[in-house]
Amino acid sequence: MANQSWTDQVDKSISDFFDPISTTMNDIVFYDVRVLGADLPLMVVWLVVAGAVFSVYFGFAQIRHLPVALRLVRGKYEQKDAPGELSHFQALSSAVSGTVGLGNIAGVAIAVSVGGPGATFWMILCGFLGMATKFVECTLGVKYRKINEDGTVSGGPMRYLVHGLAERGMGGLGKVLAFCSALMILVFAFFGGNLFQVNQSLEQLVSVTGKEDSFFNSSGGALFYGVVIAALVGVVLLGGVKAIGRVASKLVPSMALVYVVACLMVILFNVTAVPDALASIVTEAFSPKGVAGGAIGALIVGFQRAAWSNEAGIGSASIAHSAVKTKRPATEGLVASLEPFIDTVVICTMTALTIIIAGGPMYEKLRDDAAAGRAVDGSTSQGISVTSDAFETALPWFPYVLTVAVLLFAFSTVLTWSYYGLKCWTFFFGESRAAAISYKIVFSVITVAGALLSLGTLVGLSDAALFAAALFNIAGLYFLMPVVKKELRKVLDYARRRDAGESEEEIEATEEAAAVR
């Protein structure tokens, strides 16, 4: 990273200015209570309870209607002339690219180190609950989206909170919730979805290209890296969500495949350890060894990692999903429910299983520190080191593969969050060309800054802002559950008729006739 004095001075000045704001927001948003010897952030309770309520209210739609969701992704129910910009698969890929990122590699490593193998069990359970939340918010994202004159789409919490609650006689509340939600997502788009991703991916690149002697450790190398990422994001962003969808639909499967194959290689290399690892995930979920707070401690760590990873309840994913080509909102809600499954149940679990099986000195050290009650370094760089260390026990060349995965994850995350931020920006400043260009300039400048400055305080502020968005978003989702249930019934009837052999035209004709009556 750059060591020039001016960058250090700028970094310190900005951090000093925002530190009181960041500290206050983190104290509020991540306020925790002591439960049986473990700290429980109330935000985790808010997110998990929402997932549980939605799961029960919709009859566990995320599991019962999984076959319908998979058929939708495969394009079986494609609707001719449907408004929108992306196919179901492209919309899912775009949204997944925003959630599958460094947290899946680094955050899970820290969670398993601190919470033990049992944290993985609770991570999976929380992932299933998050599927219900994603279903609700993304159905509403399509239901209340705006199709602009040029065919582009604007959707997300800032639209369904305003218009959905207005339909239920709560227009004032909807406007307040929408304003706060959009502001929080915009803050994260700049600093968490952009600056942090660039900063951490550059750190990993430096670690495998000579460390202190790396070209990218110099100010010139860091600037070069930042400019290249900014240029790549800018080119794709100029093409709009269609370009993002095209890139994400190729990039996300590729990066997921690279990472999962590497995980499987390590697991197969240690195949005799798999039964014990799986057993430990279940048994230590209820009787963990060396975990502060025992079973409750493991539960809290697992739930927290899953909630932080899949972002269900934040509302951000509904921005990407609202651009789908469909006439029936709940079709995309069902597709969106697959997102936490991919992010948490598959990617996070593969990381956890690999680390549990392969271990490594870094993992063992953190486990010992956690068991002894010593402070554990929970930074992203430390988490990446734990993951790299575990993989290296079976694949000596893995740090280079991990670097490619980190770069792909970071780039795709920046790409998707650039679009989320744009939609929030235009919500505040209008849909004009000037507003869009001004946003892209600001976003690009911050991308370059991410390579030169650490700005840890702003990253901390952005994390608090992201989960503050969940406070406003989920509060509105509760009021809009009946709307989603109505849309779900329509889609299930539609899927049943399509499966029975009826054409899109026949179904639309009967629906129009019923509407007239």
Side-chain angles (χ1 to χ4, degrees), residues 188-471:
F188 185 84
F190 282 143
F191 305 117
N194 182 1
L195 184 144
F196 174 72
Q197 303 294 326
V198 174
N199 187 282
Q200 292 299 306
S201 60
L202 175 59
E203 190 170 310
Q204 179 64 17
L205 185 62
V206 168
S207 72
V208 298
T209 56
K211 298 184 178 178
E212 290 80 6
D213 297 326
S214 170
F215 164 71
F216 295 102
N217 194 47
S218 66
S219 58
L223 179 62
F224 173 76
Y225 179 79
V227 169
V228 168
I229 296 298
L232 290 173
V233 172
V235 168
V236 180
L237 194 56
L238 285 173
V241 73
K242 288 183 179 179
I244 294 175
R246 285 194 299 271
V247 172
S249 64
K250 294 178 176 60
L251 191 60
V252 171
S254 300
M255 68 184 186
L257 183 63
V258 167
Y259 190 70
V260 169
V261 166
C263 288
L264 289 173
M265 289 177 69
V266 175
I267 292 170
L268 291 174
F269 188 82
N270 300 276
V271 68
T272 56
V274 172
D276 288 341
L278 292 174
S280 70
I281 287 173
V282 177
T283 57
E284 292 200 34
F286 303 97
S287 56
K289 303 170 185 175
V291 176
I296 294 296
L299 180 150
I300 290 170
V301 171
F303 273 8
Q304 183 170 315
R305 179 62 260 152
W308 279 197
S309 177
N310 62 48
E311 297 172 12
I314 306 299
S316 52
S318 66
I319 299 173
H321 285 287
S322 65
V324 73
K325 294 177 181 177
T326 185
K327 300 174 184 176
R328 295 170 175 81
T331 57
E332 191 58 20
L334 290 174
V335 169
S337 70
L338 298 173
E339 192 182 322
F341 181 83
I342 296 168
D343 176 274
T344 305
V345 179
V346 177
I347 303 293
C348 287
T349 302
M350 290 292 282
T351 301
L353 191 60
T354 301
I355 292 171
I356 293 167
I357 288 173
M362 189 70 74
Y363 170 64
E364 298 300 334
K365 179 182 181 301
L366 292 186
R367 292 286 289 133
D368 290 343
D369 287 344
R374 293 189 290 268
V376 174
D377 180 2
S379 66
T380 297
S381 57
Q382 179 76 331
I384 291 175
S385 297
V386 171
T387 306
S388 182
D389 200 24
F391 276 84
E392 200 170 356
T393 60
L395 309 171
W397 41 264
F398 183 77
Y400 299 100
V401 177
L402 183 63
T403 299
V404 173
V406 166
L407 293 175
L408 290 175
F409 283 162
F411 178 66
S412 66
T413 300
V414 173
L415 207 57
T416 296
W417 275 95
S418 69
Y419 178 68
Y420 292 169
L422 173 62
K423 290 303 174 182
C424 292
W425 181 277
T426 54
F427 172 74
F428 291 118
F429 301 108
E431 302 272 356
S432 69
R433 178 178 172 80
I437 291 175
S438 63
Y439 167 80
K440 291 168 185 175
I441 292 172
V442 172
F443 194 87
S444 297
V445 169
I446 292 175
T447 302
V448 176
L452 295 171
L453 309 171
S454 63
L455 298 181
T457 300
L458 284 180
V459 173
L461 173 64
S462 69
D463 283 345
L466 182 67
F467 290 97
L471 290 173

Side-chain angles (χ1 to χ4, degrees), residues 69-79 88-89 498:
L70 293 173
R71 289 198 292 272
L72 283 163
V73 172
R74 293 202 308 267
K76 181 175 180 181
Y77 304 130
E78 286 296 323
Q79 302 158 49
H88 286 295
F89 178 71
R498 286 293 298 270

Side-chain angles (χ1 to χ4, degrees), residues 99-168:
T99 56
V100 175
L102 300 179
N104 301 79
I105 298 174
V108 174
I110 297 297
V112 174
S113 299
V114 175
T120 309
F121 177 89
W122 301 113
M123 205 184 305
I124 293 170
L125 177 60
C126 189
F128 276 113
L129 296 177
M131 291 170 71
T133 306
K134 276 285 170 79
F135 161 71
V136 175
E137 60 190 3
C138 293
T139 296
L140 292 170
V142 179
K143 170 74 174 175
Y144 294 102
R145 65 183 176 177
K146 175 188 175 186
I147 307 295
N148 301 312
E149 291 183 2
D150 60 358
T152 59
V153 176
S154 295
M158 50 280 193
R159 289 202 57 82
Y160 61 70
L161 291 174
V162 170
H163 300 286
L165 292 179
E167 288 180 357
R168 306 186 75 78

